[in-house]
């Protein structure tokens, strides 16, 4: 069995009055991500982890933010396209683990819906998709709610 690991990292700036999409789920929030796409920073980090595991570059290479095709795009479509690339060479997802750093709003009620949503898009079991959320104790740009930061790790296997 071959295994591959990849990590992903993404940041988006936050501004009042924008929708907040995280892990494929709309979060009730007075602030949302500034972005060319729907700004789902969690899915973006996950896509980079999956692409990184196979040394296929990054999300910006596959879905450039200069392209009209991706303006306002639902990031679940990007994740679905990345999964097509993953499966193309016989790889499958063993597990993924995502950490979202955000000062507010509280994300606890959204953790399970995010896991279910991303597992559905990836075609894996919910138990293979972990989502964790943390604040940064009001430190730094995350702590000041100027941005949202996400780290992701993906383990792939090929039998
Ligand atoms: Mg992004």
């Amino acid at each position: 069995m071959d295994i591959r690991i990849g990590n992903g990292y993404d940041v988006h700036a936050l501004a009042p009055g924008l929708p907040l999409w995280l892990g494929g789920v709309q979060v009730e929030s007075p602030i949302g991500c500034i972005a060319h796409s729907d700004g789902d920073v969690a899915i973006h980090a996950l896509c980079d982890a999956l692409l990184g595991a196979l040394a296929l570059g990054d999300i910006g290479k596959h879905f450039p933010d200069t392209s009209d095709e991706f303006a306002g795009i639902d990031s679940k479509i990007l994740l679905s396209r990345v999964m097509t690339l993953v499966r193309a060479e016989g790889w499958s997802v063993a597990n993924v683990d995502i950490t979202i750093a955000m000062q507010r709003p509280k994300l606890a009620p959204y953790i399970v819906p995010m896991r279910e949503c991303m597992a559905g898009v990836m075609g894996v079991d919910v138990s293979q998709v972990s989502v964790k959320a943390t604040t940064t104790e009001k430190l730094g740009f995350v702590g000041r709610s100027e941005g949202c930061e996400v780290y992701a790790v993906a383990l792939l296997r090929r039998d």
Side-chain angles (χ1 to χ4, degrees), residues 7-141:
N7 84 90
Y9 172 73
D10 197 22
V11 171
H12 278 261
L14 293 163
L18 294 174
L20 179 62
W21 286 93
L22 286 173
V25 172
Q26 187 162 19
V27 174
E28 212 172 297
S29 171
I31 49 176
C33 288
I34 299 170
H36 182 67
S37 65
D38 66 1
D40 193 326
V41 57
I43 286 187
H44 296 175
L46 173 58
C47 286
D48 269 357
L50 293 165
L51 291 169
L54 299 180
L56 290 174
D58 60 35
I59 194 173
K61 175 187 160 192
H62 291 272
F63 314 111
D65 64 9
T66 49
S67 165
D68 287 346
E69 185 191 350
F70 305 117
I73 196 169
D74 181 342
S75 293
K76 293 188 276 295
I77 295 168
L78 306 182
L79 177 57
S80 168
R81 292 205 199 169
V82 167
M83 283 305 300
T84 300
L85 294 173
V86 166
R87 290 194 198 95
E89 290 182 50
W91 295 94
S92 62
V93 172
N95 73 298
V96 301
D97 187 19
I98 297 164
T99 301
I100 303 169
M102 203 168 184
Q103 191 61 40
R104 63 184 170 93
K106 287 266 173 263
L107 297 179
Y110 299 96
I111 297 292
V112 170
M114 286 187 223
R115 292 176 59 207
E116 289 173 345
C117 180
M118 290 187 284
V121 175
M122 287 192 287
V124 301
D125 192 78
V126 179
S127 65
Q128 293 168 273
V129 180
S130 164
V131 175
K132 309 187 300 293
T134 185
T135 71
T136 59
E137 300 292 345
K138 300 191 174 168
L139 295 170
F141 70 86

